[in-house]
Amino acid sequence: MTPFLAKAAWLLLAGGWIVIRYPYARRARRTPVASSRRGLRERLLMAVSFTGLGLLPVVYLVTGAPRFADYPFQPVQAALGVLVVAAALVMFRLSHKALGRNWSISLDVRDRHSLVTAGIYQHLRHPMYTAFWLWAVAQALLLPNWVAGPAGLVGFGVLFFGRVGDEERMMLDTFGDQYRVYMARTRRIIPLLY
């Protein structure tokens, strides 16, 4: 493993994310929203997450900045990062496939929205968040910079902890006892743990 390959793996992760998400985002624009909890807070959370998972790593990849935060490249660490990239992309694909037309980038309930409990959602309530956590971990392993590397953990962490409770309240308001039963038999993002 080389620094170039580690950076290429991060770019593959970002590119794979776009390729997987594009058809769902396109379809979502054509599916009316029945209710939404988007607002200033949600936009700020999304901006913080984008900064950590997108903006800061791209600046690092293009310019090498901030150089003062570099640390020596560790090939084994980067190789582990490549494995986590693969896991992130698989989880991201599985979550999109299971959601289908119910997917939304934000806190939206679509017309004819159904509670998805099949596929990866049999085990996890928020597998897409699992995929984002895996992206953040992969980024920390691949980019040997104390700012750009862990920026994804911080950025996405702010979004996750600021949003997951609101999202679950929205699902409870929409699906009531059906969602309560689902919550009782699944974990949020890590099977058997959380």
Side-chain angles (χ1 to χ4, degrees):
M1 179 62 59
T2 66
F4 175 80
L5 290 175
K7 291 175 182 179
W10 187 91
L11 290 170
L12 173 71
L13 175 60
W17 221 257
I18 292 166
V19 168
I20 291 167
R21 176 157 279 179
Y22 177 76
Y24 295 92
R26 192 168 163 222
R27 190 177 312 134
R29 285 191 292 271
R30 296 189 307 252
T31 306
V33 173
S35 67
S36 180
R37 297 195 181 180
R38 294 184 191 204
L40 177 61
R41 182 173 183 271
E42 175 70 6
R43 285 192 294 276
L44 289 172
L45 290 172
M46 297 274 287
V48 169
S49 184
F50 173 75
T51 300
L53 288 171
L55 185 61
L56 290 174
V58 167
V59 167
Y60 172 73
L61 292 174
V62 172
T63 68
R67 293 188 198 291
F68 71 87
D70 285 347
Y71 62 86
F73 179 77
Q74 303 294 321
V76 173
Q77 176 181 315
L80 180 58
V82 170
L83 294 176
V84 179
V85 163
L89 288 172
V90 167
M91 184 64 74
F92 198 61
R93 172 70 177 117
L94 290 173
S95 61
H96 276 76
K97 183 179 180 188
L99 280 175
R101 64 180 301 298
N102 294 300
W103 177 81
S104 177
I105 196 168
S106 192
L107 298 179
D108 298 329
V109 174
R110 304 255 170 220
D111 281 351
R112 298 184 314 240
H113 201 106
S114 60
L115 179 60
V116 176
T117 60
I120 192 67
Y121 284 85
Q122 287 177 301
H123 311 286
L124 298 172
R125 292 193 304 276
H126 304 287
M128 198 169 304
Y129 289 155
T130 304
F132 275 103
W133 278 117
L134 288 168
W135 173 333
V137 169
Q139 179 174 308
L141 293 168
L142 292 168
L143 305 182
N145 183 280
W146 290 112
V147 174
L153 292 167
V154 174
F156 181 68
V158 168
L159 173 85
F160 176 78
F161 291 109
R163 179 201 269 183
V164 73
D166 291 341
E167 185 167 340
E168 292 202 329
R169 278 188 292 284
M170 180 182 76
M171 298 303 282
L172 283 166
D173 291 347
T174 304
F175 297 108
D177 288 339
Q178 185 183 8
Y179 195 73
R180 280 184 192 83
V181 168
Y182 176 62
M183 288 175 77
R185 69 175 177 80
T186 57
R187 298 295 183 177
R188 274 184 171 168
I189 59 169
I190 302 171
L192 305 175
L193 294 176
Y194 178 74

